[in-house]
Amino acid sequence: MKRARLIYNPTSGREQIRKSLAYVLERLETAGYETSAHATTGEGCAKRAAEKAAKNGYDLVIAAGGDGTIFEVINGLAHLKERPMIGLIPAGTTNDFARALGIPKDIEKACDVLCGDHIEPIDIGKVNDKYFINIAAAGALTELTYEVPSKMKTMVGQLAYYIKGLEMLPQIKPTFVRIEYDGKLFEGDIMMFLVSNTNSVGGFEKLAPDASLQDGMFDFIIVKKTSFPEFLTLAGLALRGEHLNHSKVLYVQANRIKVFVEDEDMKLNLDGEHGGKLPAEFVNLYQHFQMLTPKERKNKH
Ligand SMILES: CCCCCCCC/C=C\CCCCCCCC(=O)OC[C@H](CO)OC(=O)CCCCCCC/C=C\CCCCCCCC
Ligand SMILES: Nc1ncnc2c1ncn2[C@@H]1O[C@H](COP(=O)(O)OP(=O)(O)OP(=O)(O)O)[C@@H](O)[C@H]1O
Ligand SMILES: [Mg+2]
C-alpha cells in the first residue's frame, strides 16, 4: 500500500485549505494511498515534517499551500539520497509554481492530478545551503513578498503584494554587483536580478518565457541601473512580456551563477520567502525530483 503525507499550511492564501481536507484524504485513499495529514504551525515546520515523512518511508509528500510551503517541503527533502515523489495542492496567494505546472486551483481538478499517476522529473535550484523550486531574486522590491503580513494576504490576496510594492517603490536603489555565469562576467550597478526555474514569477507569466523545468538551466534576468521613470516603464513592459529586448535588461540561460556584492546586506528572496544574504552561488540540480503533474501539461519543453 503506497503511503502519502499531506503537509498543509492553514494560513496560506485565503486560509481555505482546511475546508477541503476530508475530500482530499478520501480522493487519495480511493487512489490507493494510505494518507495522513500534518498542519504546519509556523516557520520551518513544513521543512521538518517533509524530512520526517521521507525518513518514515512515505512514497509521496504533498504540499498544500502556496509557494512558501512547497519551498519548505523541498528544503526538507532535497539533501536526501532517497527522495519521495512530490505533489502540490495550490492553496496560496500567488501559487507561481502551481501555475507553471498547470496545476489547477480547483480542489477536485488538483486531486485529479494527484491521483492521475502522471509523473515528470523537475529541476530545482540550490543556493548556498538552501534550495528553491521556482524563483530566487534580489534587489529592488524583491523583499516585498516576505514583508507582506499573512493576514493582509488573507484579506486582499495578490493585491497585498502590489500595495507593499508601491510602498517600497520610492526606496529602490541600484547596487554594484559582480556576477559570473557559465564562464561569462557581468560587473556593474543593477536594480535587481531574478534566477528563475519557470516562466511564472510573482504572477507575471511572461517575465522569463523560455524557462523550462527539465532542462537543467535557469532563466537569468538582470535589470541594470535605471532611472525611476525608466523602472516604472520597464515594470509596465514586464507585465506585457515586452521587457526582454530593453537595453537595461540582460536575459540569458545559465546553470551556475555566482553573485558577489559590495553592499553586503543584499537579501535573497527564495520562492517568496527570505532566503539569507548574498554573496551566493546558484546551481541548477537537474531533474532532482519526480513530481505528479497534469497529463496535458502546457509549455512542456
Ligand atoms: C507591476 C505593475 C506595473 C506598474 C508600475 C509599478 C511598479 C511596481 C510596483 C509594484 C510591483 C509589485 C510587484 C509585486 C509582484 C508580486 C510578487 C509575488 O507575487 O510574489 C509572490 C511569489 C511567491 O508566490 O514570490 C515571488 O515571486 C518572489 C519574487 C518576487 C519578486 C518581485 C519583484 C517585483 C517584480 C516586478 C516588479 C516590477 C518589475 C520591474 C522590471 C522587471 C523586468 C524583468
Ligand atoms: N500555522 C502557521 N501560522 C503562521 N505562519 C505559518 C504557519 N504555517 C506556515 N506559516 C508560514 O507561511 C509561509 C508560507 O506561506 P505560503 O507561501 O504557503 O502562502 P502564501 O504566501 O499565501 O502563498 P504564495 O507564496 O503562493 O503567494 C511561510 O513563511 C511559513 O513560515
Ligand atoms: Mg508565500
Side-chain angles (χ1 to χ4, degrees):
M1 180 84 158
K2 298 176 290 185
R3 294 168 66 226
R5 185 74 165 154
L6 177 73
I7 297 171
Y8 69 97
N9 173 349
T11 67
S12 293
R14 305 269 183 157
E15 305 194 352
Q16 298 298 308
I17 186 64
R18 268 203 191 100
K19 292 183 190 148
S20 320
L21 275 186
Y23 173 75
V24 176
L25 292 173
E26 278 160 35
R27 287 292 308 268
L28 287 161
E29 290 288 337
T30 316
Y33 287 102
E34 181 192 318
T35 309
S36 61
H38 170 88
T40 60
T41 52
E43 195 80 44
C45 182
K47 176 181 175 200
R48 288 187 297 276
E51 179 160 9
K52 204 161 133 247
K55 290 183 171 164
N56 291 347
Y58 279 88
D59 307 285
L60 168 62
V61 174
I62 301 158
D67 294 305
T69 299
I70 187 155
F71 162 75
E72 283 204 22
V73 163
I74 63 141
N75 272 274
L77 301 175
H79 62 291
L80 301 173
K81 247 193 305 308
E82 297 297 308
R83 291 179 295 278
M85 203 160 51
I86 53 176
L88 175 59
I89 293 185
T93 305
T94 307
N95 304 298
D96 271 331
F97 192 61
R99 186 182 304 106
L101 288 174
I103 298 178
K105 273 207 66 154
D106 169 84
I107 201 70
E108 279 186 46
K109 294 195 180 87
C111 287
D112 293 344
V113 177
L114 280 188
C115 307
D117 277 341
H118 180 260
I119 300 157
E120 278 181 76
I122 57 157
D123 306 341
I124 60 165
K126 185 171 187 320
V127 55
N128 297 348
D129 61 347
K130 289 188 167 69
Y131 301 89
F132 61 97
I133 197 158
N134 195 49
I135 170 86
L141 299 184
T142 57
E143 291 111 74
L144 73 92
T145 62
Y146 43 82
E147 297 292 329
V148 173
S150 183
K151 282 296 159 225
M152 208 171 139
K153 292 188 273 192
T154 306
M155 271 179 341
V156 299
Q158 177 94 9
L159 185 61
Y161 291 121
Y162 287 87
I163 295 165
K164 181 59 82 172
L166 289 171
E167 189 189 302
M168 294 173 78
L169 202 52
Q171 288 95 31
I172 64 171
K173 62 178 181 34
T175 305
F176 184 80
V177 293
R178 194 157 62 78
I179 300 180
E180 295 167 12
Y181 57 99
D182 289 1
K184 299 180 190 73
L185 176 66
F186 171 90
E187 257 188 345
D189 284 320
I190 66 168
M191 300 311 285
M192 66 193 321
F193 69 81
L194 303 160
V195 180
S196 184
N197 203 19
T198 77
N199 68 319
S200 168
V201 175
F204 294 74
E205 290 203 48
K206 301 180 182 135
L207 218 54
D210 305 341
S212 155
L213 254 170
Q214 294 148 339
D215 61 354
M217 301 295 275
F218 293 121
D219 268 33
F220 181 41
I221 296 177
I222 292 177
V223 181
K224 298 172 192 169
K225 178 180 174 181
T226 63
S227 67
F228 190 73
E230 213 177 8
F231 185 81
L232 294 188
T233 312
L234 199 46
L237 289 173
L239 269 178
R240 299 194 300 276
E242 293 162 15
H243 55 300
L244 293 178
N245 42 30
H246 189 286
S247 61
K248 296 293 179 75
V249 172
L250 177 72
Y251 177 54
V252 291
Q253 304 249 312
N255 70 2
R256 180 182 291 271
I257 301 161
K258 275 188 189 173
V259 182
F260 304 92
V261 285
E262 267 162 21
D263 154 5
E264 72 294 335
D265 78 346
M266 204 170 181
K267 295 187 197 125
L268 255 185
N269 176 319
L270 301 178
D271 296 333
E273 299 293 311
H274 183 239
K277 292 203 168 155
L278 292 170
E281 176 168 17
F282 301 83
V283 180
N284 188 296
L285 302 185
Y286 178 65
Q287 305 202 349
H288 200 66
F289 278 105
Q290 296 296 322
M291 185 155 192
L292 286 162
T293 60
K295 288 185 184 62
E296 64 300 323
R297 195 156 80 77
K298 58 185 195 305
N299 68 31
K300 191 168 164 176
H301 49 253

